[in-house]
Amino acid sequence: PAQTLRWAAQGDLQTTDPHSQNEALTNAINSHVYETLVVFGKQLEFQPGLATEWSRVTPTLWRVKLRPNVKFHDGSPFSADDVVFSVQRAAQASSDLKVYAQALGEVRKLDALTVEFRQPQLNPVFLNHLSTVFMMSKAWCERHQATRPLDFKARQEGHASLHQNGTGPFVLVSRQPDVKTVYKRNAAWWGRFEGNVQQVVFTPVRSDATRSAALISGELDFVLDPAPQDLPRLRRTPGVQVIDGLENRILFIGMDQSRERLLYGKVPGDRNPFKDLRVRRALYQAIDIETIKAKLMRGQSAPTGALTPSPLGSYNDPALERRLPYDLAAAKRLMAEAGYPQGFEVTLDCPNNRYINDEELCLALAAMWSQLSVKVKVNAMPRTTYFAKLQRYDTSMYLLGWGGATTDAEIIFGPVMRSRGEGVGTWNFGGVHNPRFDELAIASAREPDAAKREALVKAALAEYQQQVHLIPLHRQVIPWAARSNVSAPHRADNWLVWQWVVLR
């Protein structure tokens, strides 16, 4: 029978161009239209997607066999030409996935259903990178002048920002940004539907109270991000269920460490205080993270000192997971030693519809830092404006989260922590440049021996932590809320997979 899944989150997907924005909700929704060669199962295990098999021919050469008889939504066949085109498109400068696409190396067609990837050096997380690049139709992109990814930070628009043509289980029916997006089941999909959803209606609803009320009334079937303060009431509400799960995502504070003076702040001596390790450490040690967990997050967070989305990324190393202690007296001493006993002023950029309690989290941090006489102006804005601002490097201090399906440290090393340049560091909005870290991170990405690579990853993380280039906060806990007639597996990357959903 026809079943419509009506669901909501506090923000909208950024774009329907699958290479334009590397943002979790955007990727999750687009993945139902555009597919990758390798996909993830319910436990984030690798599974065949548009590729049926893969093999490492040499340490730097992979051969991939493609799934036969796959068609795009317009009826055209999927082939190796589309793979070569898609990887090259995703590697272009305007792509937000270029750090992953470029890591795949040079791609070439062997025959209609076989491609090879040759890397300049060994890539120990090749399959993870292969799972990030969505496949597009070469002919469709050429026909609609969409051969280059839309430049999101420049607010570029084009055919691919409102239209799609993928191979996936659902077809885009209509798109109204920030209002409603509708999809229908692709009856010609090559895969197997475990659920019974025929149509999907996604509605961004910024207000926490409105999302919860719509779920309780039955206007919505599912809410991806219920507010922590609403969870007790939702658990008690007849006809509603809460599906608990920890997300593979780390939240942290970034700071401009490249400019000689802040873009947004007022500092004695017109200096950049974030270039001083003592200031960065003082801000870290002035955060009462347990109070944030108890009062703001209502227990729905996992505080950590780590910088990887998953504990697996730091090999569950207790030293790397341990936070610096909350110590306000020590923080004040560090500020005085750095020459800021009276503090300074700075603007903290923050989204207000991306992470759980994101604006409230920024306000809580501002209150805690006021005890160091640091006056923080919280500049909260919708995610669309926020990410475009950060990608112009137009920030002095910011809240960011990072995660996804991949648990390896490389998923954050390349885009977030490496120095900017040559396709890496594109999300290093603080302009951090640490040659020792870069050396270790690059070596870890090329090391074939697992034990040696583990040592390199741990050393790189330790270096970044000791320099407090980022201030870690917590790993995000993401309970989902749904009507009691909804069955939906909770995956740790926080992706609601529509073809798995059953509506009873």
Side-chain angles (χ1 to χ4, degrees):
Q3 298 282 358
T4 298
L5 172 66
R6 304 160 302 164
W7 71 288
Q10 61 177 327
D12 198 9
L13 70 157
Q14 307 282 66
T15 175
T16 54
D17 184 327
H19 301 150
S20 178
Q21 268 291 281
N22 182 24
E23 189 267 335
L25 182 66
T26 301
N27 291 339
I29 294 179
N30 284 336
S31 72
H32 294 89
V33 174
Y34 292 110
E35 298 179 290
T36 54
L37 299 181
V38 176
V39 299
F40 290 98
K42 294 183 178 68
Q43 304 304 318
L44 297 181
E45 73 280 13
F46 290 125
Q47 293 184 347
L50 291 177
T52 57
E53 56 184 280
W54 47 86
S55 60
R56 177 176 271 161
V57 181
T58 73
T60 58
L61 178 65
W62 285 80
R63 185 168 296 144
V64 178
K65 297 291 293 183
L66 305 180
R67 188 175 297 279
N69 304 316
V70 173
K71 293 187 181 298
F72 287 98
H73 295 164
D74 64 0
S76 60
F78 165 72
S79 73
D81 292 324
D82 302 302
V83 175
V84 173
F85 167 78
S86 297
V87 173
Q88 292 175 347
R89 184 183 191 271
Q92 294 185 49
S94 57
S95 167
D96 207 26
L97 296 173
K98 57 183 172 288
V99 65
Y100 307 134
Q102 291 171 5
L104 292 174
E106 179 185 355
V107 57
R108 74 183 184 100
K109 170 185 175 181
L110 295 186
D111 59 45
L113 293 176
T114 312
V115 293
E116 281 188 346
F117 294 86
R118 186 179 298 276
Q119 292 98 44
Q121 62 273 325
L122 181 140
N123 178 355
V125 291
F126 172 81
L127 292 181
N128 284 291
H129 288 139
L130 202 63
S131 73
T132 64
V133 179
F134 294 107
M135 296 295 111
M136 301 184 74
S137 163
K138 179 175 185 286
W140 183 84
C141 287
E142 289 175 343
R143 188 161 61 250
H144 295 289
Q145 292 78 51
T147 56
R148 296 180 62 83
L150 296 169
D151 189 337
F152 182 80
K153 64 180 178 293
R155 300 184 181 279
Q156 189 177 31
E157 296 289 340
H159 190 79
S161 60
L162 290 174
H163 303 84
Q164 294 184 316
N165 179 40
T167 59
F170 288 86
V171 178
L172 177 65
V173 174
S174 63
R175 167 78 174 141
Q176 296 174 271
D178 296 319
V179 179
K180 183 173 68 174
T181 307
V182 179
Y183 302 82
K184 66 178 181 181
R185 181 187 282 218
N186 174 20
W189 184 46
W190 59 266
R192 182 175 69 88
F193 288 91
E194 296 182 21
N196 60 353
V197 172
Q198 300 288 333
Q199 183 184 56
V200 175
V201 178
F202 173 73
T203 307
V205 181
R206 178 177 171 182
S207 166
D208 292 340
T210 303
R211 289 199 307 283
S212 294
L215 181 68
I216 292 170
S217 70
E219 294 176 58
L220 290 174
D221 302 301
F222 181 94
V223 170
L224 188 73
D225 45 10
Q229 64 269 20
D230 290 344
L231 291 174
R233 178 166 63 106
L234 292 173
R235 292 183 195 275
R236 296 191 303 266
T237 300
V240 172
Q241 61 175 317
V242 174
I243 307 169
D244 290 297
L246 178 67
E247 188 184 11
N248 183 31
R249 181 169 307 281
I250 184 79
L251 266 66
F252 53 85
I253 293 294
M255 300 152 285
D256 181 353
Q257 292 156 67
S258 62
R259 296 181 175 91
E260 292 304 315
R261 55 187 60 85
L262 297 181
L263 289 177
Y264 302 100
K266 185 176 180 182
V267 184
D270 201 22
R271 295 173 290 168
N272 181 349
F274 298 140
K275 293 174 77 72
D276 193 316
L277 170 60
R278 294 169 294 187
V279 172
R280 302 195 298 270
R281 184 174 178 122
L283 293 172
Y284 187 158
Q285 293 202 256
I287 297 173
D288 185 350
I289 199 69
E290 292 300 329
T291 293
I292 288 176
K293 176 182 178 180
K295 303 295 186 183
L296 176 62
M297 305 306 296
R298 308 293 179 97
Q300 299 296 308
S301 66
T304 182
L307 296 172
T308 54
S310 167
L312 297 175
S314 56
Y315 299 89
N316 288 299
D317 188 310
L320 294 173
E321 290 287 321
R322 188 178 305 120
R323 289 185 62 82
L324 288 177
Y326 168 56
D327 190 332
L328 190 57
K332 289 180 177 179
R333 288 195 298 271
L334 286 167
M335 290 290 288
E337 290 172 13
Y340 301 99
Q342 304 304 316
F344 53 86
E345 297 179 18
V346 66
T347 296
L348 171 60
D349 292 318
C350 185
N352 58 18
N353 62 350
R354 173 59 189 92
Y355 312 113
I356 299 295
N357 283 343
D358 40 18
E359 182 176 2
E360 294 82 357
L361 179 57
C362 288
L363 291 169
L365 293 171
M368 291 176 180
W369 288 332
S370 70
Q371 297 178 89
L372 302 179
S373 299
V374 176
K375 299 177 182 177
V376 177
K377 175 186 176 183
V378 174
N379 181 30
M381 65 199 86
R383 61 202 290 158
T384 304
T385 306
Y386 176 75
F387 286 117
K389 185 179 193 295
L390 262 59
Q391 289 178 318
R392 296 192 299 269
Y393 304 119
D394 182 27
T395 186
S396 292
M397 194 178 199
Y398 55 93
L399 171 73
L400 190 64
W402 201 259
T406 303
T407 59
D408 193 274
E410 180 60 26
I411 200 69
I412 194 168
F413 277 5
V416 177
M417 297 167 72
R418 289 268 301 275
S419 299
R420 296 178 197 157
E422 298 181 6
V424 296
T426 51
W427 286 67
N428 178 358
F429 303 129
V432 174
H433 177 61
N434 183 323
R436 175 59 178 159
F437 168 80
D438 288 341
E439 177 186 352
L440 291 164
I442 291 169
S444 75
R446 299 175 179 175
E447 178 54 60
D449 183 272
K452 292 179 180 178
R453 182 167 185 266
E454 178 178 338
L456 288 166
V457 169
K458 287 181 176 180
L461 288 169
E463 170 66 21
Y464 222 79
Q465 284 179 315
Q466 288 162 10
Q467 296 301 317
V468 195
H469 289 312
L470 298 171
I471 300 175
L473 298 171
H474 56 242
R475 292 195 176 99
Q476 189 163 264
V477 173
I478 295 282
W480 294 347
R483 299 294 301 176
S484 57
N485 67 321
V486 176
S487 174
H490 190 302
R491 210 166 70 173
D493 58 357
N494 199 35
W495 285 26
L496 174 66
V497 181
W498 306 339
Q499 61 267 29
W500 295 343
V501 175
V502 175
L503 300 176
R504 296 184 295 276

